[in-house]
């Protein structure tokens, strides 16, 4: 039986497809429409999902009537539940079942983990009414309701410093390392404690200079980490912890969880897009084998030889091969790779991608060498979900942030044979077991999906893509 899970209507719409044995597909609508963070489904993603079978059942990632209660409470307009009509417009007619927003988040993490028994912590901005929840396996133990929301606080500060809320929070996280967390801490602590931040705080905090924005980011990150620690202390004791919700993309804070739990699982798509998968798993309550490579498939062998040749020649190359990553981070199938050792590499890649100069890049490294070059928070970090201090930042300036940390991706032969073999060959040639890894995307656009997208990138930035 084919089941589809769908998350749409708010931001980063997605579809997941499962049969009785496997997760067959997981795709982001934005990759097909070209509209970053696209909240709406489109015919292209529907057609790609249909390759795996017409759905016998559809599972929606939240309950519209509960969301309307929150809208009513917040003074917003109510919306009709027209999900059936939306799907009919794409030729999809199947029974629809609903789950709650936070249960979908919790299930997405819980049932893609290998834990048979686990505590679960979910933190996001806002779904229906719940903004934070704690679970033991599939049973909710505690929750926090709107308007109190750690995620809305972080998004409000993202907006206040001139970035796009619900999209650029990761940039705010990177800015924090340049700021003084104490300058605005008392003011922002009061803001978090006393104000409903659903409508932001542009009118509340003073100043406009760049250092002010860095200081605000630092204070926001400090408060986030303090509150994250308090929440971890509420979670029932267990060897295992699952983390979910969009806030769990805060890789700087995530390593705090490892102080409280022996084993921590974060699926590589913990935000709302991942809840398309969670919507199905919340009903089925069973574990599935999971890989992040679930999206649009560019068929062919991984082009390791071509990538190595170009890296040795120019120090930078793009790759678009295999199934696209399900989640916001490129993990080797839609990546821009570069030599991490060059003093000018970071600036060169930032110029290519037209990003702010302060933004860091991540390394992808052979797992067996990770501890040699980084103070790793745990044995492996295959999905870039934690930061680690680099032991030799002077040797690898392209992948170290201003605070000396890196968002490390470890790779084994089992996880990604093609990428692993490329790194082995690169090390044989250079002595370096890592590469800079960032997403293959044109500025303002989603990560490349098709080879056509990759060719646009190559033409726009004069970088070869294989």
């Amino acid at each position: 039986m084919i089941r589809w899970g769908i998350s749409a209507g708010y931001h980063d719409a997605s579809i997941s497809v499962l049969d009785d044995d496997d997760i067959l597909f997981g795709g982001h609508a934005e990759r097909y429409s070209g509209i970053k963070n696209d909240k709406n489904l489109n015919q292209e993603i529907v057609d790609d999902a249909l390759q795996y079978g017409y759905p016998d059942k559809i599972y929606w990632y939240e309950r519209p009537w509960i969301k309307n209660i929150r809208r009513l409470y917040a003074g917003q307009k109510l919306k009709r539940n027209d999900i059936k009509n939306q799907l009919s417009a794409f030729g999809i007619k199947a029974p629809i079942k609903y789950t709650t927003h936070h249960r979908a988040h919790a299930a997405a993490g819980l049932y893609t983990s290998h834990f048979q028994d686990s505590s679960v912590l979910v933190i996001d901005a806002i779904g229906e009414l719940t903004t934070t929840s704690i679970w033991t396996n599939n049973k909710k133990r505690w929750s926090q309701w709107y308007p109190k929301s750690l995620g809305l606080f972080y998004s409000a500060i993202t907006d206040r410093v001139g970035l796009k809320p619900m999209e650029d929070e990761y940039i705010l996280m990177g800015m924090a390392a340049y700021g003084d967390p104490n300058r605005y801490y008392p003011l922002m602590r009061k803001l978090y404690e006393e104000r409903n931040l659903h409508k932001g705080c542009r009118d509340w905090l003073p100043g406009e200079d760049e250092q002010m924005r860095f200081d605000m980011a630092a204070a926001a990150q400090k408060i986030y980490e303090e509150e994250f620690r308090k929440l971890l202390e509420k979670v029932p004791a267990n060897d295992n912890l699952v983390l979910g919700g969009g806030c769990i993309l805060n890789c700087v804070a995530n390593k705090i969880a490892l102080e409280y739990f022996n084993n921590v699982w974060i699926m590589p798509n913990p935000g709302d897009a991942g809840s398309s998968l969670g919507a199905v798993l919340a009903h089925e309550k069973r574990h599935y084998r999971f890989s992040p490579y679930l999206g649009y498939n560019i068929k062919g062998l991984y082009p390791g030889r071509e990538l190595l040749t170009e890296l040795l020649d120019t120090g930078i190359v793009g790759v678009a091969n295999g199934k696209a990553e399900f989640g916001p981070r490129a993990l080797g199938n839609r990546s821009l790779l570069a030599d991490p050792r060059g003093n000018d590499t970071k600036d060169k890649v930032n110029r290519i991608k037209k990003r702010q100069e302060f933004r860091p890049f991540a390394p992808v490294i052979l797992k067996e060498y990770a501890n040699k070059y980084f103070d790793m928070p745990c044995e492996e970090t295959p999905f870039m979900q934690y930061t680690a201090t680099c032991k030799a930042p002077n040797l690898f300036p392209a992948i170290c942030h201003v605070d000396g940390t890196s968002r490390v991706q470890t790779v084994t032969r089992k996880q990604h044979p093609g990428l692993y073999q490329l790194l082995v060959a690169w090390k044989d040639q250079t002595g370096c077991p890592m590469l800079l890894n960032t997403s293959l995307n044109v500025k303002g656009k989603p990560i490349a999906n098709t080879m056509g997208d990759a060719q646009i990138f190559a033409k726009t930035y004069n970088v070869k893509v294989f």
Side-chain angles (χ1 to χ4, degrees), residues 92-112:
I92 302 300
K93 297 180 180 180
I96 302 171
K97 290 191 173 183
Y98 302 88
T99 189
T100 58
H101 189 98
H102 268 237
R103 187 173 291 276
H105 275 312
L110 180 62
Y111 296 116
T112 56

Side-chain angles (χ1 to χ4, degrees), residues 287-457:
H287 287 75
Y288 279 81
R289 291 171 298 183
F290 178 80
S291 162
Y293 307 103
L294 291 170
Y296 180 88
N297 191 14
I298 299 176
K299 296 179 181 179
L301 295 176
Y302 200 75
R305 182 176 299 176
E306 295 89 340
L307 296 172
L308 178 63
T309 299
E310 187 64 19
L311 282 165
L312 292 171
D313 185 27
T314 68
I316 187 166
V317 69
V319 57
N321 178 267
K323 289 191 171 185
E325 293 88 342
F326 187 50
R329 290 167 184 154
L331 301 171
N333 281 7
R334 301 294 189 276
S335 289
L336 185 66
L337 304 171
D339 187 341
R341 299 169 299 167
N343 288 319
D344 63 344
T345 301
K346 180 178 176 180
D347 290 341
K348 182 179 179 181
V349 178
N350 266 327
R351 284 196 301 271
I352 287 171
K353 299 192 69 178
K354 294 180 169 57
R355 307 186 341 161
Q356 299 95 332
E357 291 182 3
F358 63 80
R359 289 174 59 185
F361 289 105
V364 55
I365 187 170
L366 295 166
K367 178 193 167 187
E368 54 266 35
Y369 289 92
N371 280 305
K372 180 178 179 180
Y373 293 98
F374 299 95
D375 286 321
M376 295 293 290
C378 52
E379 183 179 353
E380 57 183 346
T381 56
F383 310 133
M384 296 186 185
Q385 292 162 328
Y386 303 96
T387 57
T389 300
C390 183
K391 294 179 179 179
N394 58 313
L395 298 180
F396 309 104
I399 52 84
C400 289
H401 199 24
V402 67
D403 60 0
T405 65
S406 302
R407 190 181 67 194
V408 180
Q409 178 193 357
T410 57
V411 178
T412 66
R413 189 182 300 275
K414 182 178 180 181
Q415 289 162 357
H416 197 309
L419 181 58
Y420 181 86
Q421 191 55 48
L422 171 63
L423 287 167
V424 169
W426 172 252
K427 182 183 181 298
D428 288 344
Q429 292 288 326
T430 67
C432 176
M434 72 179 87
L435 287 165
L436 179 154
N437 178 17
T438 188
S439 58
L440 191 72
N441 65 293
V442 172
K443 180 176 172 57
K445 293 290 185 180
I447 296 174
N449 201 38
T450 67
M451 185 52 73
D453 297 335
Q455 290 168 350
I456 291 171
F457 180 95

Side-chain angles (χ1 to χ4, degrees), residues 157-405:
I157 304 304
T158 300
D159 179 62
R160 177 62 189 83
V161 302
L163 300 171
K164 188 174 181 179
M166 309 306 295
E167 186 171 313
D168 289 341
E169 281 77 5
Y170 69 102
I171 301 178
L172 187 79
M173 181 181 66
M175 291 171 64
Y178 289 86
D180 175 1
N182 298 314
R183 181 181 175 192
Y184 287 108
Y185 179 86
L187 202 60
M188 290 177 62
R189 170 54 71 176
K190 181 178 176 68
L191 177 72
Y192 174 70
E193 297 291 348
E194 298 181 2
R195 183 159 170 171
N196 180 348
L197 292 164
H198 197 181
K199 294 183 179 180
C201 59
R202 291 186 186 182
D203 61 332
W204 204 77
L205 293 170
E208 287 298 337
D209 63 275
E210 183 177 56
Q211 189 58 50
M212 174 276 297
R213 291 190 285 273
F214 287 146
D215 292 344
M216 282 187 179
Q221 183 66 25
K222 181 178 180 178
I223 291 169
Y224 179 88
E225 292 180 18
E226 290 174 347
E227 295 302 311
F228 184 50
R229 187 177 293 276
K230 290 176 186 177
L231 290 168
L232 289 166
E233 291 170 353
K234 285 181 179 285
V235 175
N238 197 307
D239 283 342
N240 306 318
L241 175 68
V242 170
L243 293 171
C247 288
I248 304 306
L249 290 167
N250 194 314
C251 58
V252 174
N254 284 344
K255 58 188 175 185
I256 297 172
L258 296 166
E259 299 174 23
Y260 294 84
F261 295 85
N262 293 330
N263 309 299
V264 177
W265 168 254
I266 307 169
M267 72 166 293
N269 200 3
D272 280 8
S275 290
S276 64
L277 178 57
V280 182
L281 301 182
H283 284 274
E284 304 212 336
K285 299 180 179 64
R286 54 170 285 202
H287 287 75
Y288 279 81
R289 291 171 298 183
F290 178 80
S291 162
Y293 307 103
L294 291 170
Y296 180 88
N297 191 14
I298 299 176
K299 296 179 181 179
L301 295 176
Y302 200 75
R305 182 176 299 176
E306 295 89 340
L307 296 172
L308 178 63
T309 299
E310 187 64 19
L311 282 165
L312 292 171
D313 185 27
T314 68
I316 187 166
V317 69
V319 57
N321 178 267
K323 289 191 171 185
E325 293 88 342
F326 187 50
R329 290 167 184 154
L331 301 171
N333 281 7
R334 301 294 189 276
S335 289
L336 185 66
L337 304 171
D339 187 341
R341 299 169 299 167
N343 288 319
D344 63 344
T345 301
K346 180 178 176 180
D347 290 341
K348 182 179 179 181
V349 178
N350 266 327
R351 284 196 301 271
I352 287 171
K353 299 192 69 178
K354 294 180 169 57
R355 307 186 341 161
Q356 299 95 332
E357 291 182 3
F358 63 80
R359 289 174 59 185
F361 289 105
V364 55
I365 187 170
L366 295 166
K367 178 193 167 187
E368 54 266 35
Y369 289 92
N371 280 305
K372 180 178 179 180
Y373 293 98
F374 299 95
D375 286 321
M376 295 293 290
C378 52
E379 183 179 353
E380 57 183 346
T381 56
F383 310 133
M384 296 186 185
Q385 292 162 328
Y386 303 96
T387 57
T389 300
C390 183
K391 294 179 179 179
N394 58 313
L395 298 180
F396 309 104
I399 52 84
C400 289
H401 199 24
V402 67
D403 60 0
T405 65

Side-chain angles (χ1 to χ4, degrees), residues 62-77:
E62 60 186 9
R63 295 190 184 275
W65 69 270
I66 302 179
K67 196 163 188 173
N68 265 337
I69 291 175
R70 192 259 300 155
R71 288 190 181 108
L72 188 65
Y73 178 80
Q76 298 173 311
K77 291 182 179 180

